[in-house]
Amino acid sequence: MRIRLDGTRAEIVDALFRLRLNFTVRGVSRAYPDRAKPHAWRVYVNTLPRERR
């Protein structure tokens, strides 16, 4: 699954931490500046559902 995260750098770091609690993160793109919002960034995350035990 590919997830797009938008926000400030702090918001993206927090979202990545929370995603890792429920998903296996396979890759994270570099941060791209968001043209519409001057202090916002976007990151793409490739994930897999975490296996429940």
Side-chain angles (χ1 to χ4, degrees), residues 12-39:
I12 290 172
V13 168
D14 182 56
L16 282 170
F17 175 77
R18 292 170 188 264
L19 277 174
R20 286 190 168 115
L21 295 175
N22 295 307
F23 295 93
T24 300
V25 175
R26 297 186 68 199
V28 178
S29 73
R30 69 177 182 87
Y32 296 95
D34 194 338
R35 292 182 209 130
K37 301 172 195 164
H39 298 289

Side-chain angles (χ1 to χ4, degrees), residues 1-3 18-27 45-53:
M1 176 175 13
R2 188 171 185 203
I3 300 171
R18 292 170 188 264
L19 277 174
R20 286 190 168 115
L21 295 175
N22 295 307
F23 295 93
T24 300
V25 175
R26 297 186 68 199
V45 184
N46 290 319
T47 64
L48 290 174
R50 188 174 294 246
E51 292 185 24
R52 301 285 178 179
R53 292 182 182 180

